[in-house]
Amino acid sequence: MKLKLAIIYGILIWIITYLATWMALKIFSNSLLSFNIVIPIILIIVTGFFGILYIRNIYENEVIEGLIVGVIFIIVDVICDFSLSIISKTPNIMFTDYEFHVFSIIVITLLITTFLGYLAQMSIDLK
């Protein structure tokens, strides 16, 4: 378990997701109703990228490691969300429907990281 690396990747996931969400809000401000799908798509791409970076250096218990790093990513996300809401005290698009945000974070992150761990343990021969 590379805890320091997992925390750093979790913070990077949160920052990139937050910035991409902010930029998407500027682009999709006219159609705010369809904005709920943009956050999970951004989260899938960013979590998949950093999940691959983390899992590729793990050589045993990849599925368990993927599950644990997913939990760490979720904890870091929730801590960063609350830190931002306490520091800024301004409403954010992610906090308007925070239950949906947390639920989507939990489901998407755990599925992606666990599946990446499962794929990492497979030996694939491409002939």
Side-chain angles (χ1 to χ4, degrees):
M1 177 81 215
K2 300 175 182 180
L3 184 62
K4 187 176 180 180
L5 185 63
I7 292 172
I8 290 170
Y9 283 168
I11 292 170
L12 287 174
I13 289 170
W14 184 84
I15 289 171
I16 293 171
T17 304
Y18 181 79
L19 291 176
T21 302
W22 179 75
M23 290 173 42
L25 176 62
K26 299 292 182 188
I27 295 170
F28 297 113
S29 63
N30 294 336
S31 57
L32 193 57
L33 294 176
S34 65
F35 187 71
N36 283 338
I37 194 67
V38 174
I39 296 172
I41 290 173
I42 293 170
L43 182 67
I44 289 169
I45 293 168
V46 175
T47 303
F49 176 74
F50 284 105
I52 289 171
L53 288 179
Y54 182 84
I55 290 291
R56 71 179 180 178
N57 295 324
I58 305 298
Y59 300 108
E60 58 184 31
N61 297 328
E62 292 93 347
V63 176
I64 295 171
E65 193 75 27
L67 182 67
I68 292 171
V69 79
V71 170
I72 291 171
F73 287 170
I74 293 166
I75 292 169
V76 168
D77 182 82
V78 170
I79 290 171
C80 290
D81 284 345
F82 282 124
S83 299
L84 179 70
S85 68
I86 291 170
I87 292 171
S88 69
K89 294 185 182 179
T90 58
N92 184 349
I93 189 67
M94 278 200 261
F95 302 126
T96 55
D97 192 9
Y98 193 69
E99 293 83 18
F100 173 74
H101 173 72
V102 170
F103 181 73
S104 66
I105 291 285
I106 291 171
V107 170
I108 291 170
T109 303
L110 288 180
L111 283 175
I112 288 173
T113 56
T114 306
F115 186 65
L116 285 173
Y118 174 73
L119 290 176
Q121 76 178 1
M122 297 174 67
S123 64
I124 300 173
D125 273 338
L126 298 175
K127 295 181 181 183

